[in-house]
Amino acid sequence: YVQRDGVFMDCGDPSDTRGIQICDFGDPAAPRSLVLWGDSLALALLSGLNDVARESGRGGIAFIARGCPPVPDLQNIKVPTCDGDTHNKVLNLIEARTGVQDVVIVGNFVGAISAGNVLIDGHASSLGLVREKYTLALDRLGSINARTTMLEQGPLFSESVSDALLRNLRHGHTEPPILNRQDHLTSLRQARELADLPDLYVETVDFFCNDSVCPSMDDENQLIVFDTNHVTREYSKRLAVHLFQEAGL
C-alpha cells in the first residue's frame, strides 16, 4: 500500500475493479486468512492494522470502497462507484478465496442506516433493511467458515478537527474540539442494533471517550482523528491493537 509522510493514503487502483480497492497487508509470508471489508473508515484503519497483523504473524487482504458503507445492495447517490452492486462484488471476491478465517467489517454504519443519500434496493435505507442485508451477507460468510467481527465506528465531529484547530489557533485558542459522550452514544443507538448479527461486535466508545467526552486530541497533544471521523496514523495502530485484543485475532 502507499503511504505519504507516514499516513496511509491508498490501497490499489479502484479503476481496475469498479471502485473497489484491493491490497494485501500484514505478514507477507503468512496466508491471507484475515479479510478487512469496509469503506473509508476501514481505509484509515489499514495502516495500523498492517503493522499489528505483521507483528502478530497474520496475513490479510483488504477490500475497500470509499464512500460506500459495507452493506450489500447499498447505493450512495453521491458516489457513482457505489452503485448498489459494489459490496455484492466484494462478497463474491471474499467467497472465491480459500483459507479465509476472519472477516473484519469496518464502516459508517450510522450513515448506512440513516443518511439521506443512501438507498438499499432503491428505497431509503433503514435499520430493518440494513439488518436484512447483513443477515444474508453474514450467512454467506459463515458458509465458508469465516468468523465475522464488526468494529464499532468512532465519534463523528461536526467539522474537520484539523480545520477547527487551525481556526482556533488563529484566534489565540488552543482547545481542541470535543464531543459529548452521551451524544456519541445516542448517534450509535440504531447501529448498535446490528451487534447481535456478527460473531463478534467490538465496542469502541471507551476507546475513544472518557466518562464525559470524546476528545479529538489526547493528553500528549496527539490528534486522534484528522478530519471529522477518520483516525490518524498513530491512532490507527492503537485502534488495531484494541481490535486484535478484543476479537482475539
Side-chain angles (χ1 to χ4, degrees), residues 2 35 85 97 100 112-113 116 137 163 170 193 196 213 216 219 231 234 239:
V2 179
V35 169
D85 200 33
R97 299 190 62 83
V100 173
I113 293 168
D163 290 347
R170 284 197 295 268
E193 293 291 321
D196 62 309
V213 300
S216 58
D219 293 338
V231 291
E234 170 65 24
L239 185 56

Side-chain angles (χ1 to χ4, degrees), residues 69-110:
V71 181
D73 300 315
L74 180 145
Q75 176 188 5
N76 183 344
I77 60 176
K78 293 184 178 180
V79 180
T81 54
C82 185
D83 59 7
D85 200 33
T86 301
H87 288 297
N88 295 321
K89 295 172 186 172
V90 170
L91 280 170
N92 291 338
L93 290 168
I94 296 173
E95 286 180 312
R97 299 190 62 83
T98 58
V100 173
Q101 296 175 356
D102 290 284
V103 177
V104 175
I105 308 168
V106 180
N108 182 4
F109 309 115
V110 172

Side-chain angles (χ1 to χ4, degrees), residues 9-237:
M9 297 300 296
D10 212 345
C11 167
D13 185 350
S15 64
D16 293 340
T17 46
R18 294 179 60 111
I20 304 168
Q21 297 174 258
I22 304 172
C23 60
D24 294 339
F25 65 90
D27 186 343
R32 303 289 159 200
S33 62
L34 174 61
V35 169
L36 176 65
W37 171 26
D39 56 17
S40 62
L41 296 182
L43 188 68
L45 175 67
L46 186 51
S47 183
L49 189 63
N50 174 70
D51 292 344
V52 176
R54 179 176 293 168
E55 293 165 6
S56 302
R58 292 207 67 174
I61 184 168
F63 298 94
I64 308 292
R66 298 194 215 187
C68 199
V71 181
D73 300 315
L74 180 145
Q75 176 188 5
N76 183 344
I77 60 176
K78 293 184 178 180
V79 180
T81 54
C82 185
D83 59 7
D85 200 33
T86 301
H87 288 297
N88 295 321
K89 295 172 186 172
V90 170
L91 280 170
N92 291 338
L93 290 168
I94 296 173
E95 286 180 312
R97 299 190 62 83
T98 58
V100 173
Q101 296 175 356
D102 290 284
V103 177
V104 175
I105 308 168
V106 180
N108 182 4
F109 309 115
V110 172
I113 293 168
S114 60
N117 54 295
V118 169
L119 304 175
I120 294 180
D121 289 336
H123 303 287
S125 184
S126 67
L127 175 59
L129 281 172
V130 172
R131 277 190 65 88
E132 176 187 330
K133 297 301 179 181
Y134 265 128
T135 298
L136 296 173
L138 298 180
D139 282 347
R140 288 176 62 180
L141 294 174
S143 71
I144 62 169
N145 297 317
R147 185 180 66 153
T148 54
T149 299
M150 184 178 289
L151 180 67
E152 186 171 76
Q153 69 193 88
L156 174 62
F157 292 87
S158 59
E159 63 175 320
S160 167
V161 169
S162 299
D163 290 347
L165 281 170
L166 288 173
R167 185 188 65 248
N168 290 347
L169 286 171
R170 284 197 295 268
H171 291 85
H173 305 298
T174 58
E175 298 83 2
I178 60 173
L179 182 67
N180 182 275
R181 177 188 172 105
Q182 189 55 51
D183 289 343
H184 178 44
L185 282 168
T186 299
S187 73
L188 290 175
R189 182 180 57 81
Q190 287 198 89
R192 282 189 160 188
E193 293 291 321
L194 305 173
D196 62 309
L197 298 180
D199 295 309
L200 293 167
Y201 182 86
V202 176
E203 296 186 5
T204 62
V205 172
D206 288 338
F207 175 86
F208 285 107
C209 309
N210 57 35
D211 289 342
S212 58
V213 300
C214 309
S216 58
M217 181 180 286
D218 67 16
D219 293 338
E220 299 174 351
N221 293 325
Q222 290 188 332
L223 284 178
I224 298 170
V225 297
F226 61 86
D227 54 6
T228 57
N229 61 345
H230 295 90
V231 291
T232 61
R233 171 68 178 87
E234 170 65 24
Y235 268 84
S236 74
K237 183 164 185 179

